[in-house]
Amino acid sequence: MVKVADIERALEPTWCPGCGNHMMWKALKEVIEESGMGFEDYAMVWGIGCHGNGADFYRSQGFHGLHGRALPVATGIALSNPSLKVIVSMGDGDGYGIGGNHFIHSVRRNIDMMAIYHNNQIYGLTTGQASPTSDQFMQTPSTPGGVVEEPVNPVGVAIAQGATFVARGFAGDVDHLKSLYRQALDHHGFSLVDVYQPCVTWNKINTFKWFRDRVYKLEELDGYDPSDRTMAFETSMSTFHELTCAPDECKVPIGVFYREEETFTYQDGLPQLDRPMWKHAEEPRDISEILETY
């Protein structure tokens, strides 16, 4: 069984002091330890961005993919070895922008994996350009006159597209975030955990204080039913386009928006996975004759 100390590498994280990535790093390490998994039981995949530097800080088998392409790589791993739990780490620009199409199709396929999005509403690694989740009218180095278009609503998109587990966390509440990670890790199917992870360097609007003044937990909301897809979608829509509001004007829900049990996954539809694809390559093959042809 993996311990937190086993996961940490000698290289210390280089994220900015106070960056939400530190809290997400802590939460995920502890949940992996609590899961009882061994190193051989899971694989991790990262996209490009500040979060992607986590590839240097987690001791894990895995892959640091191209910008926006973490989900295709993770899909290949999940299908090649279905016995692995695949954990994918992406940023908002990485996963909702460049990788937005992969996001939609991974959701609809219900591929069994856990997808964590570091949503700081900015391109942090490349010095603060507007991302797909930046608030409308937000001024950034790439939008000095303010963002023109409305932001992507990842929770609403996922629910509308048929996702079977959709949650939103806040990096400033590690215990609550861990509870979401545990549920996502246990889910059979595609599990999305969108995490508000304030960028302390480039986003001076959506700060830790900004979120602490507004977040509330869905599980503490009277009558909220996470098995009701319509309720989940309406909640995601009614609470999203008000991110510049004052604390007394709006609140931001965190928690499990939607969860569907006993789901049919993409892997369930592939009987050939009874013999995992990686076993097809168990024996080295001599391809010299094929190469001679060309």
Coordinates of all heavy atoms in Angstrom, one line a residue, residues 194-286:
D194 N -14.1 19.3 -10.8 CA -13.7 20.6 -11.2 C -13.3 21.3 -9.9 O -14.2 21.4 -9.0 CB -14.8 21.3 -12.0 CG -14.4 22.7 -12.4 OD1 -13.7 22.9 -13.3 OD2 -14.9 23.7 -11.7
V195 N -12.1 21.8 -9.8 CA -11.6 22.4 -8.6 C -11.3 23.9 -8.8 O -10.4 24.2 -9.6 CB -10.4 21.7 -8.0 CG1 -10.0 22.2 -6.6 CG2 -10.7 20.2 -7.9
Y196 N -12.0 24.8 -8.0 CA -11.6 26.2 -8.0 C -10.3 26.3 -7.3 O -10.2 26.0 -6.1 CB -12.7 27.0 -7.4 CG -13.8 27.3 -8.3 CD1 -15.1 27.2 -7.9 CD2 -13.6 27.7 -9.6 CE1 -16.2 27.5 -8.7 CE2 -14.7 28.0 -10.5 CZ -15.9 27.9 -10.0 OH -17.0 28.1 -10.9
Q197 N -9.2 26.6 -8.0 CA -7.9 26.6 -7.5 C -7.3 28.0 -7.7 O -6.7 28.2 -8.8 CB -7.1 25.5 -8.2 CG -5.6 25.5 -7.9 CD -4.8 26.0 -9.1 OE1 -5.0 25.5 -10.2 NE2 -4.0 27.0 -8.9
P198 N -7.5 28.9 -6.8 CA -7.1 30.3 -7.1 C -5.6 30.4 -7.5 O -4.7 29.8 -6.9 CB -7.3 31.0 -5.7 CG -8.4 30.2 -5.1 CD -8.1 28.8 -5.5
C199 N -5.4 31.2 -8.5 CA -4.0 31.6 -9.0 C -3.6 32.9 -8.3 O -4.1 33.9 -8.6 CB -4.0 31.7 -10.5 SG -2.4 32.3 -11.1
V200 N -2.7 32.8 -7.3 CA -2.4 33.9 -6.5 C -1.6 35.0 -7.2 O -1.5 36.1 -6.8 CB -1.7 33.5 -5.2 CG1 -2.6 32.6 -4.3 CG2 -0.4 32.7 -5.5
T201 N -1.0 34.6 -8.3 CA -0.1 35.5 -9.1 C -0.9 36.3 -10.2 O -0.7 37.5 -10.3 CB 1.0 34.7 -9.7 OG1 1.7 34.1 -8.6 CG2 2.0 35.6 -10.4
W202 N -1.8 35.6 -10.9 CA -2.3 36.2 -12.1 C -3.8 36.5 -12.0 O -4.3 37.3 -12.9 CB -2.0 35.4 -13.3 CG -0.6 35.2 -13.6 CD1 0.2 34.1 -13.4 CD2 0.3 36.2 -14.1 NE1 1.5 34.4 -13.7 CE2 1.6 35.7 -14.1 CE3 0.2 37.6 -14.4 CZ2 2.7 36.4 -14.5 CZ3 1.3 38.3 -14.9 CH2 2.6 37.7 -14.9
N203 N -4.5 35.9 -11.1 CA -6.0 36.2 -11.0 C -6.2 36.9 -9.7 O -6.3 36.2 -8.6 CB -6.8 34.9 -11.1 CG -8.3 35.2 -11.2 OD1 -8.7 36.3 -10.8 ND2 -9.0 34.2 -11.7
K204 N -6.3 38.2 -9.7 CA -6.5 39.0 -8.5 C -8.0 39.2 -8.1 O -8.3 39.9 -7.1 CB -5.8 40.3 -8.6 CG -4.3 40.3 -8.9 CD -3.5 39.6 -7.8 CE -2.0 39.6 -8.1 NZ -1.2 38.8 -7.1
I205 N -8.8 38.6 -8.9 CA -10.3 38.7 -8.6 C -10.8 37.5 -7.9 O -11.3 37.6 -6.8 CB -11.0 38.9 -10.0 CG1 -10.6 40.2 -10.7 CG2 -12.6 38.9 -9.7 CD1 -11.2 40.3 -12.1
N206 N -10.6 36.3 -8.4 CA -11.2 35.1 -7.8 C -10.1 34.5 -6.9 O -9.5 33.5 -7.1 CB -11.5 34.1 -8.9 CG -12.5 34.7 -10.0 OD1 -12.1 34.9 -11.1 ND2 -13.6 35.2 -9.5
T207 N -10.0 35.2 -5.7 CA -8.9 34.8 -4.8 C -9.5 33.8 -3.7 O -10.7 33.5 -3.8 CB -8.5 36.1 -4.0 OG1 -9.6 36.6 -3.3 CG2 -8.0 37.1 -5.0
F208 N -8.6 33.3 -2.8 CA -9.1 32.4 -1.8 C -10.2 33.1 -0.9 O -11.2 32.5 -0.6 CB -8.0 32.0 -0.8 CG -7.1 30.9 -1.4 CD1 -6.0 31.2 -2.1 CD2 -7.5 29.6 -1.3 CE1 -5.2 30.1 -2.6 CE2 -6.8 28.5 -1.8 CZ -5.6 28.8 -2.4
K209 N -10.0 34.4 -0.6 CA -11.0 35.1 0.2 C -12.3 35.3 -0.6 O -13.4 35.1 -0.1 CB -10.5 36.5 0.6 CG -11.5 37.3 1.4 CD -11.0 38.7 1.8 CE -11.9 39.3 2.8 NZ -13.3 39.4 2.3
W210 N -12.2 35.5 -1.9 CA -13.3 35.7 -2.8 C -14.2 34.4 -2.7 O -15.4 34.5 -2.5 CB -12.9 35.9 -4.2 CG -14.0 36.3 -5.2 CD1 -14.3 37.6 -5.5 CD2 -14.9 35.4 -5.8 NE1 -15.4 37.5 -6.4 CE2 -15.8 36.2 -6.6 CE3 -15.1 34.1 -5.9 CZ2 -16.8 35.7 -7.4 CZ3 -16.1 33.5 -6.6 CH2 -17.0 34.4 -7.4
F211 N -13.5 33.2 -2.8 CA -14.3 32.0 -2.7 C -14.8 31.7 -1.3 O -16.0 31.2 -1.1 CB -13.4 30.8 -3.2 CG -13.4 30.8 -4.7 CD1 -12.2 31.1 -5.4 CD2 -14.4 30.4 -5.5 CE1 -12.1 31.1 -6.7 CE2 -14.4 30.3 -6.8 CZ -13.2 30.7 -7.5
R212 N -14.0 32.0 -0.3 CA -14.4 31.7 1.1 C -15.7 32.5 1.4 O -16.5 32.0 2.3 CB -13.3 32.0 2.1 CG -12.2 30.9 2.0 CD -11.3 31.0 3.3 NE -10.3 29.9 3.2 CZ -9.1 30.1 2.8 NH1 -8.6 31.3 2.4 NH2 -8.2 29.0 2.8
D213 N -15.8 33.7 0.9 CA -17.0 34.5 1.1 C -18.2 34.0 0.4 O -19.3 34.5 0.7 CB -16.7 35.9 0.7 CG -15.7 36.7 1.6 OD1 -15.5 36.2 2.7 OD2 -15.2 37.7 1.2
R214 N -18.1 33.1 -0.5 CA -19.2 32.7 -1.3 C -19.5 31.2 -1.4 O -20.7 30.8 -1.7 CB -18.9 33.1 -2.8 CG -18.9 34.7 -3.0 CD -18.3 35.1 -4.3 NE -18.4 36.5 -4.5 CZ -17.6 37.4 -4.0 NH1 -16.6 37.0 -3.2 NH2 -17.8 38.7 -4.2
V215 N -18.6 30.3 -1.2 CA -18.8 28.9 -1.4 C -19.8 28.3 -0.3 O -19.7 28.8 0.9 CB -17.5 28.0 -1.4 CG1 -16.7 28.4 -2.6 CG2 -16.8 28.1 -0.1
Y216 N -20.6 27.4 -0.7 CA -21.4 26.6 0.3 C -21.5 25.2 -0.2 O -21.2 24.9 -1.4 CB -22.8 27.2 0.4 CG -23.7 27.0 -0.8 CD1 -24.6 25.9 -0.9 CD2 -23.6 28.0 -1.8 CE1 -25.4 25.8 -2.0 CE2 -24.5 27.8 -2.9 CZ -25.3 26.7 -3.0 OH -26.1 26.6 -4.1
K217 N -21.8 24.2 0.6 CA -21.7 22.8 0.3 C -23.1 22.3 -0.1 O -24.1 22.5 0.6 CB -21.2 22.0 1.4 CG -19.7 22.4 1.8 CD -19.2 21.5 2.9 CE -17.8 21.8 3.2 NZ -17.5 23.1 3.7
L218 N -23.2 21.7 -1.2 CA -24.5 21.2 -1.7 C -25.1 20.2 -0.8 O -26.3 20.1 -0.6 CB -24.3 20.5 -3.1 CG -24.2 21.5 -4.3 CD1 -23.8 20.7 -5.5 CD2 -25.4 22.2 -4.5
E219 N -24.2 19.4 -0.1 CA -24.8 18.3 0.8 C -25.4 19.0 2.0 O -26.2 18.3 2.8 CB -23.7 17.4 1.2 CG -22.5 18.0 1.9 CD -21.3 18.3 0.9 OE1 -21.7 18.6 -0.3 OE2 -20.2 18.2 1.3
E220 N -25.2 20.3 2.3 CA -25.9 20.9 3.4 C -27.1 21.7 2.9 O -27.7 22.4 3.7 CB -24.9 21.9 4.0 CG -23.7 21.2 4.7 CD -22.6 22.1 5.2 OE1 -22.8 23.3 5.0 OE2 -21.6 21.6 5.8
L221 N -27.4 21.6 1.7 CA -28.6 22.3 1.1 C -29.8 21.4 1.2 O -29.9 20.3 0.7 CB -28.3 22.6 -0.4 CG -29.3 23.5 -1.1 CD1 -29.3 24.9 -0.5 CD2 -29.0 23.6 -2.6
D222 N -30.8 21.9 1.9 CA -32.1 21.1 2.1 C -32.7 20.8 0.8 O -32.9 21.6 -0.1 CB -33.1 22.0 2.9 CG -32.7 22.0 4.4 OD1 -31.9 21.2 4.8 OD2 -33.2 22.9 5.1
G223 N -33.0 19.5 0.7 CA -33.7 19.0 -0.5 C -32.9 18.7 -1.7 O -33.4 18.3 -2.8
Y224 N -31.5 19.0 -1.6 CA -30.7 18.8 -2.8 C -30.5 17.3 -3.1 O -30.1 16.5 -2.2 CB -29.4 19.5 -2.8 CG -28.7 19.4 -4.1 CD1 -29.0 20.3 -5.1 CD2 -27.7 18.4 -4.4 CE1 -28.5 20.2 -6.4 CE2 -27.2 18.4 -5.7 CZ -27.5 19.3 -6.7 OH -27.0 19.2 -7.9
D225 N -30.8 16.8 -4.3 CA -30.7 15.4 -4.6 C -29.7 15.2 -5.7 O -30.0 15.5 -6.9 CB -32.1 14.8 -5.0 CG -32.1 13.4 -5.4 OD1 -31.0 12.7 -5.2 OD2 -33.1 12.9 -5.8
P226 N -28.5 14.6 -5.4 CA -27.5 14.5 -6.5 C -27.8 13.4 -7.5 O -27.1 13.2 -8.5 CB -26.2 14.1 -5.7 CG -26.7 13.5 -4.4 CD -28.0 14.2 -4.1
S227 N -28.9 12.7 -7.3 CA -29.3 11.7 -8.3 C -30.3 12.3 -9.3 O -30.7 11.6 -10.3 CB -29.9 10.5 -7.7 OG -31.2 10.8 -7.1
D228 N -30.7 13.6 -9.1 CA -31.6 14.3 -10.0 C -30.9 15.1 -11.0 O -30.3 16.2 -10.7 CB -32.5 15.1 -9.2 CG -33.7 15.8 -10.0 OD1 -33.5 16.0 -11.2 OD2 -34.7 16.0 -9.4
R229 N -30.8 14.6 -12.3 CA -30.0 15.3 -13.3 C -30.5 16.7 -13.6 O -29.8 17.6 -13.8 CB -29.9 14.4 -14.6 CG -28.9 15.0 -15.6 CD -28.9 14.2 -16.9 NE -28.3 12.9 -16.7 CZ -27.0 12.6 -16.7 NH1 -26.2 13.6 -16.9 NH2 -26.5 11.4 -16.5
T230 N -31.8 16.8 -13.6 CA -32.4 18.1 -13.9 C -32.1 19.1 -12.9 O -31.7 20.3 -13.1 CB -34.0 18.0 -14.1 OG1 -34.2 17.0 -15.1 CG2 -34.6 19.3 -14.4
M231 N -32.2 18.7 -11.6 CA -31.9 19.6 -10.5 C -30.4 20.0 -10.6 O -30.0 21.1 -10.4 CB -32.2 18.9 -9.2 CG -31.9 19.8 -8.0 SD -32.2 18.9 -6.4 CE -34.0 18.9 -6.5
A232 N -29.5 19.0 -10.9 CA -28.1 19.3 -11.0 C -27.8 20.3 -12.1 O -27.0 21.2 -11.9 CB -27.4 18.0 -11.2
F233 N -28.4 20.1 -13.2 CA -28.2 21.0 -14.4 C -28.7 22.4 -14.0 O -28.0 23.4 -14.3 CB -28.9 20.5 -15.6 CG -28.6 21.4 -16.8 CD1 -27.4 21.4 -17.4 CD2 -29.6 22.2 -17.3 CE1 -27.1 22.2 -18.5 CE2 -29.4 23.0 -18.4 CZ -28.2 23.0 -19.0
E234 N -29.9 22.5 -13.5 CA -30.4 23.8 -13.2 C -29.6 24.5 -12.1 O -29.4 25.8 -12.2 CB -31.9 23.7 -12.6 CG -32.9 23.3 -13.8 CD -34.3 23.1 -13.2 OE1 -34.4 23.0 -12.0 OE2 -35.2 23.0 -14.0
T235 N -29.0 23.8 -11.2 CA -28.2 24.4 -10.2 C -26.9 24.9 -10.8 O -26.4 26.0 -10.5 CB -27.8 23.3 -9.1 OG1 -29.0 22.9 -8.5 CG2 -26.9 23.9 -8.0
S236 N -26.3 24.1 -11.7 CA -25.1 24.5 -12.4 C -25.3 25.8 -13.2 O -24.4 26.7 -13.2 CB -24.6 23.4 -13.3 OG -25.3 23.3 -14.5
M237 N -26.5 25.9 -13.8 CA -26.8 27.1 -14.6 C -27.1 28.3 -13.8 O -26.7 29.5 -14.1 CB -27.9 26.8 -15.6 CG -27.6 25.7 -16.6 SD -26.2 26.2 -17.7 CE -26.8 27.5 -18.6
S238 N -27.8 28.1 -12.7 CA -28.3 29.3 -11.9 C -27.2 29.9 -11.1 O -27.4 31.0 -10.5 CB -29.5 28.8 -11.1 OG -29.1 27.9 -10.1
T239 N -26.1 29.2 -10.9 CA -25.1 29.7 -10.0 C -23.8 30.0 -10.7 O -22.7 30.2 -10.1 CB -24.8 28.7 -8.9 OG1 -24.4 27.4 -9.5 CG2 -26.0 28.4 -8.1
F240 N -23.8 30.0 -12.1 CA -22.5 30.1 -12.8 C -22.1 31.5 -13.3 O -21.0 32.0 -13.1 CB -22.4 29.1 -13.9 CG -21.1 29.1 -14.6 CD1 -20.0 28.6 -13.9 CD2 -20.9 29.7 -15.8 CE1 -18.7 28.6 -14.5 CE2 -19.7 29.6 -16.4 CZ -18.6 29.1 -15.8
H241 N -23.1 32.2 -13.9 CA -22.7 33.4 -14.6 C -22.8 34.6 -13.7 O -23.2 35.7 -14.0 CB -23.6 33.6 -15.8 CG -23.5 32.5 -16.8 ND1 -22.3 32.4 -17.5 CD2 -24.3 31.6 -17.2 CE1 -22.4 31.3 -18.3 NE2 -23.6 30.8 -18.1
E242 N -22.4 34.5 -12.4 CA -22.4 35.6 -11.5 C -21.1 35.6 -10.7 O -21.1 36.0 -9.5 CB -23.6 35.4 -10.5 CG -24.9 35.3 -11.2 CD -26.1 35.0 -10.3 OE1 -25.8 34.5 -9.2 OE2 -27.2 35.3 -10.6
L243 N -20.0 35.3 -11.4 CA -18.8 35.2 -10.6 C -18.2 36.5 -10.3 O -17.2 36.6 -9.5 CB -17.8 34.4 -11.4 CG -18.1 32.9 -11.6 CD1 -17.1 32.2 -12.4 CD2 -18.2 32.2 -10.2
T244 N -18.7 37.6 -10.7 CA -18.2 38.9 -10.3 C -19.1 39.6 -9.3 O -19.0 40.7 -9.0 CB -18.1 39.9 -11.6 OG1 -19.4 39.9 -12.2 CG2 -17.0 39.4 -12.5
C245 N -20.1 38.8 -8.8 CA -21.0 39.4 -7.9 C -20.5 39.6 -6.5 O -19.5 39.0 -6.1 CB -22.3 38.5 -7.8 SG -21.9 36.9 -7.2
A246 N -21.2 40.4 -5.7 CA -20.8 40.6 -4.3 C -21.2 39.4 -3.5 O -22.1 38.7 -3.9 CB -21.5 41.9 -3.8
P247 N -20.6 39.2 -2.3 CA -20.9 38.0 -1.5 C -22.4 37.9 -1.2 O -23.0 36.8 -1.1 CB -20.1 38.1 -0.3 CG -18.9 39.0 -0.7 CD -19.5 39.9 -1.7
D248 N -23.1 39.0 -0.9 CA -24.5 39.0 -0.6 C -25.4 38.9 -1.8 O -26.6 38.7 -1.7 CB -24.9 40.2 0.2 CG -24.6 41.5 -0.5 OD1 -23.9 41.5 -1.6 OD2 -25.1 42.6 -0.1
E249 N -24.8 38.9 -3.0 CA -25.6 38.7 -4.2 C -25.6 37.3 -4.8 O -26.5 37.0 -5.5 CB -25.0 39.7 -5.3 CG -25.2 41.1 -5.0 CD -24.5 42.0 -6.0 OE1 -23.5 41.6 -6.6 OE2 -25.0 43.2 -6.2
C250 N -24.6 36.6 -4.5 CA -24.6 35.2 -5.0 C -23.7 34.3 -4.2 O -22.8 34.8 -3.5 CB -24.1 35.2 -6.5 SG -22.3 35.6 -6.6
K251 N -23.9 33.0 -4.4 CA -23.1 32.0 -3.7 C -22.6 31.0 -4.7 O -23.3 30.8 -5.8 CB -23.9 31.3 -2.6 CG -24.3 32.2 -1.5 CD -23.2 32.8 -0.7 CE -23.6 33.7 0.4 NZ -22.4 34.3 1.2
V252 N -21.6 30.3 -4.4 CA -21.0 29.3 -5.3 C -21.0 27.9 -4.7 O -20.4 27.7 -3.7 CB -19.5 29.7 -5.7 CG1 -18.9 28.6 -6.6 CG2 -19.4 31.1 -6.3
P253 N -21.8 27.0 -5.2 CA -21.9 25.7 -4.6 C -20.7 24.8 -4.9 O -20.2 24.9 -6.0 CB -23.2 25.1 -5.3 CG -23.3 25.8 -6.6 CD -22.7 27.2 -6.4
I254 N -20.3 24.0 -4.0 CA -19.3 23.0 -4.2 C -19.9 21.7 -3.6 O -20.8 21.7 -2.8 CB -18.0 23.3 -3.5 CG1 -18.2 23.5 -2.0 CG2 -17.3 24.5 -4.1 CD1 -16.8 23.7 -1.2
G255 N -19.4 20.6 -4.1 CA -19.9 19.3 -3.7 C -20.2 18.4 -4.9 O -19.8 18.7 -6.0
V256 N -21.0 17.3 -4.7 CA -21.4 16.5 -5.8 C -22.6 17.0 -6.4 O -23.7 17.0 -5.8 CB -21.6 15.0 -5.3 CG1 -22.0 14.1 -6.4 CG2 -20.3 14.5 -4.7
F257 N -22.5 17.5 -7.6 CA -23.7 17.9 -8.3 C -24.6 16.8 -8.8 O -25.8 16.8 -8.7 CB -23.3 18.8 -9.6 CG -23.0 20.2 -9.3 CD1 -21.8 20.5 -8.6 CD2 -23.8 21.2 -9.6 CE1 -21.4 21.8 -8.3 CE2 -23.5 22.5 -9.4 CZ -22.3 22.8 -8.7
Y258 N -23.9 15.7 -9.4 CA -24.7 14.6 -9.9 C -23.9 13.3 -9.8 O -22.7 13.3 -10.0 CB -25.0 14.9 -11.4 CG -25.8 13.8 -12.0 CD1 -27.2 13.7 -11.7 CD2 -25.3 12.8 -12.9 CE1 -28.0 12.6 -12.2 CE2 -26.0 11.8 -13.4 CZ -27.4 11.7 -13.1 OH -28.1 10.7 -13.5
R259 N -24.6 12.3 -9.5 CA -24.0 10.9 -9.4 C -25.0 9.9 -9.8 O -26.1 9.9 -9.4 CB -23.5 10.7 -8.0 CG -22.9 9.2 -7.8 CD -22.3 9.0 -6.4 NE -23.3 9.5 -5.4 CZ -23.0 10.2 -4.3 NH1 -21.8 10.7 -4.2 NH2 -23.9 10.6 -3.5
E260 N -24.5 9.0 -10.7 CA -25.4 8.0 -11.2 C -24.7 6.6 -10.9 O -23.5 6.4 -11.3 CB -25.6 8.1 -12.7 CG -26.5 7.1 -13.3 CD -26.7 7.4 -14.8 OE1 -26.6 8.6 -15.3 OE2 -27.0 6.4 -15.6
E261 N -25.3 5.7 -10.3 CA -24.7 4.5 -9.9 C -25.0 3.4 -11.0 O -25.8 3.6 -11.8 CB -25.3 4.0 -8.6 CG -25.2 5.0 -7.4 CD -23.8 5.3 -6.9 OE1 -22.9 4.5 -7.4 OE2 -23.6 6.2 -6.1
E262 N -24.2 2.3 -10.9 CA -24.4 1.2 -11.8 C -24.4 1.6 -13.3 O -25.3 1.3 -14.0 CB -25.7 0.5 -11.5 CG -25.8 0.0 -10.0 CD -24.8 -1.0 -9.6 OE1 -24.3 -1.8 -10.5 OE2 -24.4 -1.0 -8.4
T263 N -23.4 2.4 -13.7 CA -23.4 2.9 -15.0 C -22.7 1.9 -16.0 O -21.8 1.1 -15.6 CB -22.6 4.3 -15.1 OG1 -21.3 4.1 -14.7 CG2 -23.3 5.2 -14.1
F264 N -23.0 2.1 -17.2 CA -22.4 1.3 -18.3 C -21.2 2.1 -18.9 O -21.4 3.2 -19.4 CB -23.4 1.0 -19.4 CG -22.9 0.1 -20.5 CD1 -22.8 -1.3 -20.4 CD2 -22.5 0.7 -21.7 CE1 -22.3 -2.0 -21.4 CE2 -22.0 -0.1 -22.8 CZ -21.9 -1.4 -22.6
T265 N -20.0 1.6 -18.7 CA -18.8 2.3 -19.2 C -18.4 1.9 -20.6 O -18.9 0.9 -21.1 CB -17.7 2.1 -18.2 OG1 -17.2 0.7 -18.3 CG2 -18.0 2.4 -16.8
Y266 N -17.5 2.7 -21.1 CA -17.0 2.3 -22.5 C -16.3 1.0 -22.4 O -16.4 0.1 -23.3 CB -16.0 3.4 -22.9 CG -15.6 3.4 -24.3 CD1 -16.4 3.9 -25.3 CD2 -14.4 2.8 -24.7 CE1 -16.0 3.9 -26.6 CE2 -14.0 2.7 -26.0 CZ -14.8 3.3 -27.0 OH -14.4 3.2 -28.3
Q267 N -15.5 0.7 -21.3 CA -14.9 -0.6 -21.2 C -15.8 -1.7 -21.1 O -15.6 -2.8 -21.6 CB -14.0 -0.6 -19.9 CG -12.7 0.3 -20.0 CD -12.9 1.7 -19.5 OE1 -14.0 2.3 -19.6 NE2 -11.9 2.3 -18.9
D268 N -17.0 -1.5 -20.5 CA -18.0 -2.6 -20.4 C -18.5 -3.0 -21.8 O -19.0 -4.1 -22.0 CB -19.2 -2.1 -19.6 CG -18.9 -1.9 -18.1 OD1 -17.9 -2.6 -17.6 OD2 -19.5 -1.1 -17.4
G269 N -18.4 -2.1 -22.8 CA -18.9 -2.4 -24.1 C -17.8 -3.1 -25.0 O -18.1 -3.3 -26.2
L270 N -16.7 -3.4 -24.4 CA -15.6 -4.0 -25.2 C -15.2 -5.4 -24.6 O -14.4 -5.5 -23.7 CB -14.3 -3.1 -25.2 CG -14.5 -1.7 -25.8 CD1 -13.3 -0.9 -25.6 CD2 -14.9 -1.7 -27.2
P271 N -15.9 -6.4 -25.1 CA -15.6 -7.7 -24.5 C -14.2 -8.2 -24.7 O -13.7 -9.0 -23.9 CB -16.6 -8.6 -25.2 CG -17.0 -7.9 -26.5 CD -16.9 -6.5 -26.1
Q272 N -13.5 -7.6 -25.7 CA -12.1 -8.1 -25.9 C -11.2 -7.6 -24.8 O -10.1 -8.1 -24.7 CB -11.6 -7.5 -27.2 CG -11.6 -6.0 -27.4 CD -12.8 -5.4 -28.0 OE1 -13.9 -5.9 -27.6 NE2 -12.7 -4.4 -28.8
L273 N -11.7 -6.7 -23.9 CA -10.9 -6.3 -22.8 C -10.8 -7.4 -21.7 O -10.1 -7.2 -20.7 CB -11.4 -5.0 -22.2 CG -11.3 -3.8 -23.1 CD1 -11.7 -2.5 -22.4 CD2 -9.9 -3.6 -23.7
D274 N -11.6 -8.5 -21.9 CA -11.4 -9.6 -21.0 C -10.0 -10.1 -21.0 O -9.5 -10.7 -20.1 CB -12.4 -10.8 -21.4 CG -13.8 -10.4 -21.0 OD1 -14.0 -9.4 -20.3 OD2 -14.7 -11.1 -21.6
R275 N -9.4 -9.9 -22.2 CA -7.9 -10.2 -22.3 C -7.3 -8.8 -22.5 O -7.3 -8.3 -23.6 CB -7.6 -11.1 -23.4 CG -6.1 -11.4 -23.5 CD -5.8 -12.2 -24.8 NE -4.4 -12.5 -24.8 CZ -3.7 -12.6 -26.0 NH1 -4.3 -12.5 -27.1 NH2 -2.4 -12.9 -25.9
P276 N -6.8 -8.1 -21.5 CA -6.3 -6.8 -21.6 C -5.3 -6.6 -22.7 O -4.5 -7.5 -23.0 CB -5.6 -6.5 -20.2 CG -6.3 -7.4 -19.3 CD -6.7 -8.7 -20.1
M277 N -5.4 -5.5 -23.4 CA -4.6 -5.2 -24.6 C -3.1 -5.4 -24.4 O -2.4 -5.8 -25.2 CB -5.0 -3.9 -25.2 CG -6.4 -3.7 -25.6 SD -6.9 -4.8 -26.9 CE -6.0 -4.2 -28.3
W278 N -2.7 -5.0 -23.2 CA -1.3 -5.0 -22.9 C -0.7 -6.4 -23.0 O 0.4 -6.7 -23.2 CB -0.9 -4.4 -21.6 CG -1.5 -5.0 -20.4 CD1 -2.7 -4.8 -19.8 CD2 -0.9 -6.0 -19.6 NE1 -2.9 -5.6 -18.7 CE2 -1.8 -6.4 -18.5 CE3 0.3 -6.7 -19.6 CZ2 -1.5 -7.3 -17.6 CZ3 0.6 -7.6 -18.7 CH2 -0.3 -7.9 -17.6
K279 N -1.6 -7.4 -22.7 CA -1.2 -8.8 -22.8 C -0.9 -9.3 -24.2 O -0.2 -10.3 -24.4 CB -2.2 -9.7 -22.1 CG -2.3 -9.6 -20.6 CD -3.1 -10.7 -20.0 CE -3.0 -10.6 -18.5 NZ -3.8 -11.7 -17.8
H280 N -1.4 -8.6 -25.2 CA -1.1 -8.9 -26.5 C 0.3 -8.7 -26.8 O 0.9 -9.2 -27.8 CB -2.0 -8.1 -27.5 CG -3.4 -8.5 -27.5 ND1 -4.0 -9.4 -28.3 CD2 -4.5 -8.0 -26.7 CE1 -5.3 -9.5 -28.1 NE2 -5.6 -8.7 -27.1
A281 N 0.9 -7.8 -26.1 CA 2.3 -7.5 -26.3 C 3.2 -8.1 -25.2 O 4.4 -7.7 -25.0 CB 2.5 -6.0 -26.2
E282 N 2.7 -9.2 -24.6 CA 3.5 -9.9 -23.6 C 4.8 -10.4 -24.2 O 5.9 -10.4 -23.5 CB 2.7 -11.0 -23.0 CG 2.3 -10.7 -21.6 CD 1.5 -11.8 -21.0 OE1 1.0 -12.7 -21.7 OE2 1.4 -11.9 -19.8
E283 N 4.7 -11.0 -25.4 CA 5.9 -11.6 -26.0 C 6.5 -10.6 -27.0 O 5.8 -10.1 -27.8 CB 5.5 -12.9 -26.6 CG 5.0 -14.0 -25.7 CD 6.1 -14.4 -24.6 OE1 7.3 -14.3 -25.0 OE2 5.7 -14.8 -23.5
P284 N 7.8 -10.4 -27.0 CA 8.4 -9.5 -28.0 C 8.2 -10.1 -29.4 O 8.2 -11.3 -29.6 CB 9.9 -9.6 -27.6 CG 10.0 -10.0 -26.2 CD 8.8 -10.9 -26.0
R285 N 7.9 -9.3 -30.3 CA 7.6 -9.7 -31.7 C 8.8 -9.3 -32.6 O 9.3 -8.2 -32.5 CB 6.3 -9.2 -32.2 CG 5.1 -9.8 -31.5 CD 3.8 -9.2 -32.0 NE 3.7 -7.8 -31.6 CZ 2.7 -7.0 -31.9 NH1 1.7 -7.5 -32.7 NH2 2.7 -5.8 -31.5
D286 N 9.1 -10.2 -33.5 CA 10.2 -9.9 -34.5 C 9.5 -9.3 -35.7 O 8.8 -9.9 -36.4 CB 10.9 -11.2 -34.9 CG 12.1 -10.9 -35.8 OD1 12.2 -9.7 -36.2 OD2 12.8 -11.8 -36.2

